[in-house]
Amino acid sequence: MEHTSIKVQMLGAFSISYHDVVLDANKNRSRKIWQLLAYLIYNRNRVISQEELIDVLWEDSDGQDNASGALNTIFWRTRQALSPIADLIDQNLIVRSKTGCMWNPDVPTEVDVSDFEAFYQKGKSLEDEDLRLDEFRKALALYQGSFLEKLSGSTWNNMVSVYYNNIYLGLLVEALPLIQERGYFEEVESLCQTALKIDPYNESIYQYLMRGLLNQNKYEEAAATYEKLRDNLSSQLGITPSEETQKLYREIQKNSSQYAVSPAMV
């Protein structure tokens, strides 16, 4: 079998694949196994000490009885879980030493978070807008959800998740104008709907969504989007939409014979 890279998805669902073999966190009930794998793969360029792993895996415990033994058990179960791929490439995917352990650096591994950030940074460096958008779209295609969303809860996971969510939102701020200018309004709508699940109070994203719907003549949905924003801002933050957003709402109403502008609605 021709040797290719192991591919790891960490944005959204967590999976490890090699050719047709896919190991999916959703199909394995042991959370600790996947937490260990996630930490080793994300930090794959360095050796991680046993003490660090214990702190990560049992951070909520005041003291883990026989932590070393428990970690050895998790390692054994993790290697068992990885065996369908390890047997194919005839290499251990996790290597251990006296100082700690790490994801095997001799095994080519492609991780979506690295590619996601690389595509975004490459896009930012390009002056040509079409080439920039191509790179941005590659990054957007990789973003299938928050970092390890099914394993959320640990301190390190939450911090990394916030980091990538912020990159994603920054990417959208740069990509949406380019996509909108080219008339891909359905794409604008889809991207905004996804982004608002991450940041439900981002008024800029709402504006792009309203504009995308307006340009598709989806007046009812555009008006409902404004009203959702208005209600969210009022109930959660005690503020009203900006004048710019209100102006866009009036434009939507003007273009729709089904709605009449009402000061009370604004």
Side-chain angles (χ1 to χ4, degrees), residues 34-45:
W34 287 95
Q35 287 177 324
L36 173 62
L37 279 172
Y39 198 76
L40 290 176
I41 293 172
Y42 187 73
N43 296 281
R44 60 194 177 281
N45 295 319

Side-chain angles (χ1 to χ4, degrees), residues 10-11 39 42-43 46 52 55-56 59 113 116-117 143 146-149 151-168 198:
M10 305 184 90
L11 294 170
Y39 198 76
Y42 187 73
N43 296 281
R46 66 184 179 90
E52 181 177 346
D55 288 341
V56 168
E59 67 173 355
V113 291
F116 169 72
E117 193 165 3
Y143 201 88
S146 295
F147 180 79
L148 300 176
E149 58 187 13
L151 294 177
S152 61
S154 66
T155 299
W156 85 271
N157 188 331
N158 291 343
M159 291 177 62
V160 175
S161 181
V162 169
Y163 173 74
Y164 285 111
N165 282 352
N166 286 338
I167 291 179
Y168 173 67
I198 297 172

Side-chain angles (χ1 to χ4, degrees), residues 31-121:
R31 185 179 177 88
K32 284 285 191 291
I33 287 176
W34 287 95
Q35 287 177 324
L36 173 62
L37 279 172
Y39 198 76
L40 290 176
I41 293 172
Y42 187 73
N43 296 281
R44 60 194 177 281
N45 295 319
R46 66 184 179 90
V47 175
I48 302 170
S49 70
Q50 176 174 286
E51 291 74 18
E52 181 177 346
L53 286 174
I54 289 172
D55 288 341
V56 168
L57 295 177
W58 289 281
E59 67 173 355
D60 294 330
S61 302
D62 294 332
Q64 171 65 25
D65 294 335
N66 190 23
S68 179
L71 186 59
N72 283 333
T73 299
I74 295 297
F75 267 119
W76 181 83
R77 294 179 63 188
T78 301
R79 281 185 166 167
Q80 291 295 109
L82 291 172
S83 61
I85 293 177
D87 291 346
L88 282 176
I89 64 175
D90 195 26
Q91 291 191 74
N92 287 325
L93 298 181
I94 299 175
V95 292
R96 302 184 72 178
S97 66
K98 293 181 179 180
T99 57
C101 66
M102 68 183 303
W103 186 258
N104 192 336
D106 294 328
V107 176
T109 305
E110 297 178 17
V111 185
D112 61 350
V113 291
S114 298
D115 292 338
F116 169 72
E117 193 165 3
F119 286 138
Y120 175 47
Q121 295 299 333

